[in-house]
């Protein structure tokens, strides 16, 4: 396994983050609620603001190249801030199979622990590798949203999963 370092991203990482995020949106449009066109049209300053205002982990290889990302969202609303959402996880193809996805999930879980009672996520139900990753990390399925995403004329169901913390 290649040595990876994981750290919280900030505005100085905006260019690298945007590159990885757009790669995911372009190559796997069914895996994300966001679209390539919407994200590509946003100014880099908006990406920098997202990184400084939120919590996004980045995984870097030995050459300090950003190889994967994952986000944690915790609502500010009083009635909803007991639960967080793992979102936007993506690992570049050349780093797949290295354990990096699990490192990112574990990093988000560690950040969420003590801050929320439950960590939620959605994953396209046909993505067997991602389902296995989340199940192995302790997430449990609690529902299925049929036709949750539409990409062109194709519909994709999303599995809803939760991890009690």
């Amino acid at each position: 396994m290649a040595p990876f370092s994981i750290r919280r991203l900030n505005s100085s990482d905006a260019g690298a983050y945007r590159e990885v995020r757009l790669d995911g949106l372009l190559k796997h449009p069914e895996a994300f609620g966001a679209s390539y066109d919407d994200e590509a049209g946003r100014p880099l300053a908006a990406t920098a603001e997202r990184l400084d205002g939120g919590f996004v982990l980045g995984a870097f290889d030995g050459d300090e190249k950003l190889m994967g990302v994952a986000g944690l969202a915790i609502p500010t609303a009083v009635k909803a801030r007991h639960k967080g959402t793992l979102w936007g996880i993506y690992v570049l193809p050349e780093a797949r199979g290295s354990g990096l996805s699990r490192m990112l999930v574990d990093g988000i879980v560690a950040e969420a622990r003590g801050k929320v009672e439950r960590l939620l996520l959605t994953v396209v139900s046909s993505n067997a590798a991602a389902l296995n990753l989340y199940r192995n990390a302790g997430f449990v399925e609690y529902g299925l949203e049929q036709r949750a995403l539409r990409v062109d004329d194709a519909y994709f169901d999303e599995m809803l999963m939760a991890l009690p913390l």
Side-chain angles (χ1 to χ4, degrees):
M1 181 163 112
F4 294 103
S5 61
I6 307 264
R7 68 169 171 80
R8 183 178 183 170
L9 300 180
N10 60 48
S11 56
S12 68
D13 300 304
Y17 172 76
R18 178 186 174 96
E19 190 177 314
V20 170
R21 178 121 170 105
L22 290 176
D23 186 78
L25 295 173
L26 185 64
K27 292 178 180 169
H28 302 281
E30 77 290 349
F32 301 95
S35 76
Y36 177 88
D37 290 339
D38 287 346
E39 290 280 325
R42 286 200 176 96
L44 190 59
T47 301
E49 203 173 291
R50 170 192 270 178
L51 293 177
D52 280 345
F55 186 86
V56 178
L57 285 179
F60 295 84
D61 68 8
D63 296 325
E64 285 301 303
K65 180 182 180 202
L66 185 61
M67 301 301 289
V69 297
L72 171 64
I74 299 174
T76 56
V78 172
K79 293 182 179 180
R81 64 180 174 211
H82 65 286
K83 55 189 177 177
T85 302
L86 187 161
W87 65 272
I89 185 167
Y90 182 69
V91 171
L92 292 176
E94 59 266 34
R96 293 186 190 149
S98 67
L100 184 54
S101 295
R102 181 59 189 260
M103 289 174 66
L104 286 165
V105 169
D106 289 348
I108 294 295
V109 169
E111 179 65 23
R113 198 174 298 283
K115 294 183 173 136
V116 297
E117 297 170 17
R118 287 169 45 101
L119 189 56
L120 308 175
L121 63 83
T122 61
V123 58
V124 172
S125 62
S126 59
N127 188 339
L131 282 167
N132 286 334
L133 168 70
Y134 299 134
R135 287 178 184 135
N136 288 334
F139 285 85
V140 177
E141 298 153 17
Y142 69 90
L144 179 74
E145 182 180 353
Q146 296 178 341
R147 297 169 67 110
L149 297 175
R150 180 177 168 182
V151 179
D152 299 322
D153 290 329
Y155 290 92
F156 297 89
D157 298 344
E158 282 192 329
M159 185 66 64
L160 295 93
M161 302 182 84
L163 175 68
L165 298 174

